[in-house]
Amino acid sequence: MLPTLRRSGVVSVETAEGEYEQDDGLKCKVLPLWAAQDVVGHSLNLPEKEYATLQRLFEAVMAPGWTHKNGSVTPAGLICWCWRRGRAGG
């Protein structure tokens, strides 16, 4: 998935490497949204509440799920949940 996102030119992706050189975290920017910040009248210049809603939508659909340092859990999004369920042994 990461190579496809990087090739798209629409999303920039930075990875944080884990102890064993695995991707341990991702920082993704949706470039059109990023470029529209502070551009008055731009249709993608969203108020903070709408950005938060959009982020929750992305997480609900695509997030892989993770456990936070404080022990709370963010569940996998619909696409990841369905993909995992469809796998052998999943």
Side-chain angles (χ1 to χ4, degrees):
M1 183 172 178
L2 285 178
T4 303
L5 286 174
R6 288 184 172 121
R7 282 192 307 267
S8 75
V10 177
V11 178
S12 75
V13 180
E14 296 175 26
T15 57
E17 235 178 55
E19 185 176 346
Y20 302 102
E21 298 183 14
Q22 78 282 11
D23 290 337
D24 205 26
L26 299 175
K27 183 176 184 179
C28 301
K29 286 183 188 175
V30 179
L31 297 175
L33 288 172
W34 189 258
Q37 288 183 357
D38 301 322
V39 178
V40 177
H42 195 290
S43 60
L44 294 177
N45 184 4
L46 305 174
E48 190 172 331
K49 286 182 179 181
E50 291 180 11
Y51 271 119
T53 300
L54 185 60
Q55 179 181 352
R56 296 295 180 253
L57 175 63
F58 286 154
E59 289 173 354
V61 174
M62 297 183 291
W66 57 89
T67 302
H68 301 269
K69 289 180 181 178
N70 67 7
S72 63
V73 175
T74 298
L78 293 173
I79 291 174
C80 291
W81 182 80
C82 291
W83 178 75
R84 287 181 182 161
R85 282 195 61 199
R87 292 179 58 187

